[in-house]
Amino acid sequence: MPSSVRVTAPGKINLHLAVGPRDQSGYHPLATVFQAIDLADDIVVRTSSELTLTMLGTDLPADESNLAVRAARLLARYADVPATADITIHKRIPVAGGMAGGSADAAGTLVALDALWGLNLTATELQELGIKLGADVPFCLLGGTALGVERGDALTPLLARGRYTWIVIAQEAGLSTPLVFEHFDRTHPFPSCPEVDDRFLRAIAQGDTKYVAGMARNDLAESCVELHPGARAALEACAAFGLPALVSGSGPTVVALADDDVAADVCPYVEEYVPGGTCLVAHGPVSGAHVVG
Ligand code: C5P
């Protein structure tokens, strides 16, 4: 068995996010298309006699509330092994940004500890554990491009051609996902049944990246910009530069499709428009959380 394992845990964006009415469990039925992108957290786990977590590049708490610790404990219980490892997470995915940063860490921790502890769980077993940790965790395990229904955790991998270059505009201050959903409930008392139209799925399959980015729909976008002026500024900046842009998940991160050769050059100009915004370049789709090195 290895004494250490390194995993890359990609964040996600939503190319489509249709939201239905909140159900009795407090969740909303979704029809969403996820894409995993190469803006990823780096996770290293090492053998140890106890369970510790070190978070680098963020002031997020590294205690029992952290989804990575909860993932470790859940996996240990399921496999009936001691929950012992030193986990180090180098955070790159924006925190509370709508990119499933916490879920990526949970998915990455499951994959890393499965390897460290020599468990060899199946993808289905990991998915079932993932569902217990959060609605986005199953996709963070799967990666690529996938349709998500129910809570967004019932996944179908999609045929997807093409490579997308995204300008990612992250914000200094994040947004709470439950808060955005609550705002959506207040402002959309009668949402329709969430769907994705066939033409959009065909464009994904054909690799028509411009159509996909131009037609991307996010039912939470309006709530996001009402709650976060930075997200509105980011969308306006992208419009000013003629870049098709979308809010990722519940936001406030905004991503815009750009030509590969100019994306990095555009970033400083976009940043000027967005106080508290940081711009970087990422690509998708990529694989889900996996062991590297
Ligand atoms: O599953 P997770 O803990 O990531 O979800 C965070 C919150 O987002 C939930 O507590 C809920 O308020 C909201 N949510 C929702 N409907 C979904 C997914 C998440 O209302 N399908």
Side-chain angles (χ1 to χ4, degrees):
M1 256 160 359
S3 58
S4 79
V5 175
R6 164 169 263 133
V7 160
T8 185
K12 62 82 187 163
I13 58 173
N14 302 77
L15 301 175
H16 178 95
L17 179 54
V19 181
R22 189 188 287 270
D23 64 24
Q24 283 178 341
S25 71
Y27 277 78
H28 296 74
L30 307 178
T32 187
V33 177
F34 293 107
Q35 183 186 86
I37 67 171
D38 62 3
L39 178 52
D41 287 351
D42 182 58
I43 303 178
V44 177
V45 295
R46 295 185 182 83
T47 47
S48 172
S49 56
E50 52 187 349
L51 183 63
T52 67
L53 172 63
T54 307
M55 298 294 291
L56 304 176
T58 172
D59 51 11
L60 271 181
D63 58 16
E64 292 291 327
S65 69
N66 192 296
L67 215 48
V69 174
R70 287 168 50 201
R73 297 226 179 268
L74 181 70
L75 181 65
R77 253 197 326 276
Y78 175 79
D80 200 16
V81 296
T84 55
D86 289 335
I87 307 169
T88 303
I89 297 181
H90 193 145
K91 199 126 213 49
R92 297 199 178 84
I93 304 169
V95 173
M99 293 189 63
S103 302
D105 293 346
T109 301
L110 289 176
V111 170
L113 293 179
D114 176 62
L116 187 77
W117 295 340
L119 304 176
N120 289 316
L121 297 196
T122 63
T124 310
E125 285 175 296
L126 290 175
Q127 285 281 332
E128 279 164 6
L129 293 173
I131 284 174
K132 295 190 176 135
L133 292 162
D136 288 338
V137 181
F139 177 73
C140 290
L141 287 162
L142 181 68
T145 308
L147 175 68
V149 295
E150 298 175 10
R151 292 179 172 190
D153 53 4
L155 298 171
T156 307
L158 291 176
L159 174 65
R161 290 195 180 83
R163 180 171 180 266
Y164 294 70
T165 299
W166 299 106
I167 290 177
V168 179
I169 307 160
Q171 303 283 342
E172 226 161 62
L175 262 183
S176 140
T177 300
L179 211 75
V180 178
F181 274 107
E182 277 163 29
H183 186 281
F184 174 85
D185 292 339
R186 277 197 304 280
T187 50
H188 299 78
F190 306 109
S192 50
C193 180
E195 289 174 345
V196 193
D197 73 52
D198 289 346
R199 178 124 193 255
F200 190 75
L201 295 178
R202 261 202 312 279
I204 287 174
Q206 289 164 351
D208 189 347
T209 57
K210 291 211 162 69
Y211 180 91
V212 171
M215 297 301 283
R217 159 183 164 187
N218 183 344
D219 289 355
L220 296 179
E222 213 178 280
S223 295
C224 166
V225 298
E226 276 177 34
L227 294 167
H228 202 300
R232 187 189 299 277
L235 288 173
E236 285 170 1
C238 294
F241 288 101
L243 303 169
L246 47 132
V247 171
S248 178
S250 54
T253 306
V254 165
V255 298
L257 188 73
D259 289 332
D260 209 12
D261 50 343
V262 297
D265 300 336
V266 175
C267 274
Y269 296 101
V270 173
E271 270 179 1
E272 262 181 49
Y273 274 73
V274 189
T278 307
C279 211
L280 45 95
V281 178
H283 299 94
V286 296
S287 305
H290 62 277
V291 174
V292 288

